[in-house]
Amino acid sequence: MTNALTKAWTELVRPMLRRPKRVQMAALCYRDSDCGKMVLLITSRDTGRWVVPKGWPIDGMDGPQAALQEAWEEAGVSKAEADLHAIGQYDYLKGLDNGAEAPVETQVYLARVIDIVADFPEADQRRRKWVSPQDAANMVDEPGLKTILRSL
């Protein structure tokens, strides 16, 4: 039995624990208002948690471009200007279809919204809401994202 446990640890468990984090790109969409900056949160499709638009890298796009593509698909941001460099990153565990979880590092790009539309690819699957950065920090679950929001 000991050999079986050692083999399982060596060949299955340890390699899984050493896998590099997957990387996603997120758009922290904002607009200026009379009350200061407002940020756009959306609900996740599976649990309805408040999140920012994010997704996997897209072939042929750099980080800011991929983040803006996610902002379009998930939140209806049809025109925005994204910073060229991430303003921060946060880690979280992404639930996979098979029930497992994968560690993900999310690069966050600040994106000033110029235009937003009601008809977008995931409009029927998500809600969206403009809130202050402080309120947004209280609404999201990820500690690293909370920190980024509070720094705005």
Side-chain angles (χ1 to χ4, degrees), residues 42-68:
I42 60 171
T43 54
S44 67
R45 289 187 297 182
D46 53 356
T47 64
R49 295 179 300 109
W50 289 106
V51 297
V52 294
K54 64 184 176 301
W56 305 111
I58 300 171
D59 285 341
M61 292 186 181
D62 62 15
Q65 292 169 328
L68 289 179

Side-chain angles (χ1 to χ4, degrees), residues 137 140 142-152:
V140 300
E142 298 82 3
L145 181 54
K146 289 175 182 285
T147 300
I148 292 168
L149 289 162
R150 288 187 178 119
S151 73
L152 289 182

Side-chain angles (χ1 to χ4, degrees), residues 69-84:
Q69 180 64 33
E70 295 301 328
W72 157 245
E73 293 174 8
E74 297 180 357
V77 175
S78 59
K79 187 172 183 184
E81 295 174 347
D83 287 356
L84 295 178

Side-chain angles (χ1 to χ4, degrees), residues 60-136:
M61 292 186 181
D62 62 15
Q65 292 169 328
L68 289 179
Q69 180 64 33
E70 295 301 328
W72 157 245
E73 293 174 8
E74 297 180 357
V77 175
S78 59
K79 187 172 183 184
E81 295 174 347
D83 287 356
L84 295 178
H85 302 285
I87 62 165
Q89 64 89 25
Y90 67 93
D91 297 333
Y92 78 102
L93 291 175
K94 176 155 183 73
L96 303 176
D97 292 339
N98 65 3
E101 292 181 325
V104 176
E105 177 182 295
T106 306
Q107 299 293 318
V108 181
Y109 295 88
L110 198 58
R112 185 176 67 84
V113 175
I114 298 168
D115 194 29
I116 188 167
V117 298
D119 186 24
F120 57 96
E122 297 181 14
D124 62 338
Q125 301 170 47
R126 301 180 186 270
R127 291 181 296 138
R128 58 187 182 181
K129 186 173 189 172
W130 288 101
V131 296
S132 71
Q134 183 62 42
D135 287 345

